[in-house]
Amino acid sequence: MTRKKPYTALIAPGIFLAYRRNASVGTWSVKCNGWLKRFALADDHEDANGETVMNYWQALDHAKSLARAGEGNSEQPISVGEAIDAYEADLETRGGRKYNATQLRLHLTDGLKSKAVALLTERELRDWRAGLVKAGLKPSSADRIGRSLKAALALAARSDKRITNAAAWRNGLKKLPDAEVARNVILPDQTVTALVSGSYDEDREFGLLVDVLAETGARESQVFRLTPADLQDHLTAPRLMIPTSRKGKNRKIEYRPLPISTRLAQALRKQAAGRAAHALLFEKMWNLATTFRPVVEHLGLGPDVTPYALRHSSIVRQLLKGVPTRVVAAHHDTSVAMIEKNYSRYIIGDPSEALTRATLLDFEKPLSLVQAA
């Protein structure tokens, strides 16, 4: 019988299986310690598949698993939206890029945000990411956003033993075939200059932040950890001691000197004035994804121009000036392998190229058979 209030059955101490008969099809929910969570349709009109449609026995097992797997945990299962909030807070604690969480939140549907992490299926995650590409997002961008979601869900799973469906995001968000194609945005020097100038027009401190990103090619997370003590303010050869990121397996923070212009050193000297030596140089944690966008639009640039384009441009600028690949990699806190993988077309002056070039034949002056012999 159709009714608003669900039918409930006690299936274990403190755990109820709820069935609500709607006008079209019934739904299964679990009720435990004051919270009620719907998790599947009932098999009233179609065969059960064990995921989105369940029969009574499947619903019974799933309700117990959802409510009891985390012993002593009486809270409502965490939603995807809450998982992203926790992921963003974790990024901030570890000095990571909050930009990843911001982009992820922008591309999630309300339905997916409100769904319990423990109820996610491989199919809906795969369909969600496919929808991003269908809407015009590049496969590499969709894959990057998918990796951020995987990180958020994995963090939630480590905090709640009721989340036992890690295979859903491991399989549903596998790397896309076309995601390996590098589409790094490289900007001309005059465009980088215009972006820095426009950022100063937006806000002085924000402009200084973008100035540092453009001149050093460092990541946002690295610049946000700078302190006045990291400025080695030599009058003619100033440097910044840039902290390494926590990317990769090495989580130990080291500091590497990067040369900066006397112009930028003077601006940083003013920023550091009155601050304790080990206080943050940039106290305000700017959301670059939001604040940078008006500057980009004012210059008539496309949506693919993000603050990270300043890093790509810095790497390419050094490569085109003949800076050795190993030095470029060290200055940008990455590996030679990653530089060669993503920027190989810009590498000039490679010793192996000169050796290979010396073996090329000159077909305008063909050798005689006697010379060839």
Side-chain angles (χ1 to χ4, degrees):
M1 179 183 297
T2 301
R3 70 175 193 171
K4 185 175 182 180
K5 185 177 180 180
Y7 297 94
T8 58
L10 182 67
I11 57 176
I15 303 173
F16 295 84
L17 176 63
Y19 171 81
R20 181 168 179 260
R21 187 70 171 92
N22 300 314
S24 56
V25 64
T27 58
W28 295 115
S29 302
V30 59
K31 184 178 180 181
C32 178
N33 294 304
W35 54 264
L36 179 72
K37 191 69 180 180
R38 189 178 70 177
F39 58 82
L41 298 176
D43 60 336
D44 297 331
H45 302 300
E46 58 182 311
D47 293 336
N49 57 26
E51 289 189 351
T52 57
V53 182
M54 297 185 182
N55 59 34
Y56 172 78
W57 300 108
Q58 291 170 335
L60 186 98
D61 291 340
H62 196 79
K64 288 181 180 179
S65 175
L66 185 60
R68 295 179 60 184
E71 294 181 4
N73 190 346
S74 61
E75 297 180 353
Q76 183 169 341
I78 186 172
S79 68
V80 173
E82 291 167 337
I84 295 172
D85 292 340
Y87 172 59
E88 185 174 39
D90 183 66
L91 283 175
E92 186 170 357
T93 301
R94 295 186 291 108
R97 295 180 72 225
K98 293 175 64 176
Y99 175 78
N100 294 335
T102 302
Q103 287 297 298
L104 175 56
R105 193 177 284 108
L106 287 174
H107 289 92
L108 280 180
T109 62
D110 291 338
L112 200 56
K113 286 180 185 177
S114 61
K115 185 157 187 176
V117 173
L119 300 179
L120 289 171
T121 66
E122 175 182 335
R123 180 177 179 179
E124 64 187 330
L125 289 173
R126 186 170 58 247
D127 290 348
W128 162 73
R129 190 178 57 179
L132 298 182
V133 177
K134 187 176 181 180
L137 210 60
K138 296 174 181 177
S140 57
S141 298
D143 190 68
R144 184 179 63 252
I145 293 170
R147 288 199 303 271
S148 296
L149 180 56
K150 286 173 70 174
L153 299 178
L155 178 64
R158 290 196 295 271
S159 305
D160 191 343
K161 294 181 181 179
R162 290 174 294 182
I163 301 175
T164 58
N165 56 331
W169 53 85
R170 279 201 306 266
N171 298 328
L173 297 176
K174 282 182 178 178
K175 185 176 292 186
L176 292 169
D178 196 27
E180 288 291 340
V181 179
R183 295 184 175 88
N184 301 329
V185 176
I186 313 301
L187 303 172
D189 292 349
Q190 60 268 29
T191 302
V192 173
T193 301
L195 286 168
V196 172
S197 176
S199 297
Y200 274 113
D201 292 340
E202 196 75 20
D203 181 274
R204 188 200 65 80
E205 186 171 328
F206 177 70
L208 182 58
L209 173 64
V210 173
D211 201 347
V212 175
L213 290 172
E215 188 158 296
T216 65
R219 300 180 181 89
E220 172 189 341
S221 60
Q222 295 172 280
V223 175
F224 274 130
R225 293 204 302 274
L226 288 174
T227 67
D230 296 326
L231 174 61
Q232 296 186 346
D233 195 13
H234 191 278
L235 289 178
T236 58
R239 306 190 304 177
L240 265 180
M241 298 299 292
I242 299 288
T244 55
S245 67
R246 292 186 172 91
K247 292 179 70 68
K249 295 181 180 179
N250 185 14
R251 299 290 177 172
K252 183 180 178 180
I253 300 298
E254 300 175 350
Y255 286 80
R256 296 171 180 171
L258 284 185
I260 59 173
S261 65
T262 54
R263 175 198 59 80
L264 180 57
Q266 183 179 6
L268 289 173
R269 191 184 310 131
K270 292 180 181 179
Q271 179 73 4
R275 299 175 190 264
H278 297 288
L280 290 177
L281 200 56
F282 297 98
E283 294 180 349
K284 185 172 181 178
M285 297 295 287
W286 294 91
N287 185 330
L288 294 192
T290 302
T291 316
F292 198 64
R293 178 52 46 196
V295 180
V296 172
E297 292 176 349
H298 179 72
L299 293 174
L301 303 176
D304 54 344
V305 176
T306 67
Y308 219 68
L310 301 174
R311 174 175 169 82
H312 296 314
S313 303
S314 173
I315 291 173
V316 170
R317 188 181 309 116
Q318 292 188 13
L319 291 173
L320 291 177
K321 292 290 185 180
V323 178
T325 307
R326 178 186 61 80
V327 176
V328 176
H331 279 188
H332 290 86
D333 189 27
T334 187
S335 66
V336 171
M338 290 303 294
I339 293 289
E340 291 178 340
K341 176 182 177 181
N342 294 307
Y343 308 96
S344 59
R345 71 182 67 181
Y346 303 103
I347 298 175
I348 61 175
D350 189 332
S352 64
E353 181 180 332
L355 293 172
T356 304
R357 188 173 297 280
T359 69
L360 300 178
L361 296 176
D362 185 356
F363 290 107
E364 291 185 356
K365 298 178 180 179
L367 293 174
S368 66
L369 293 178
V370 175
Q371 290 176 312

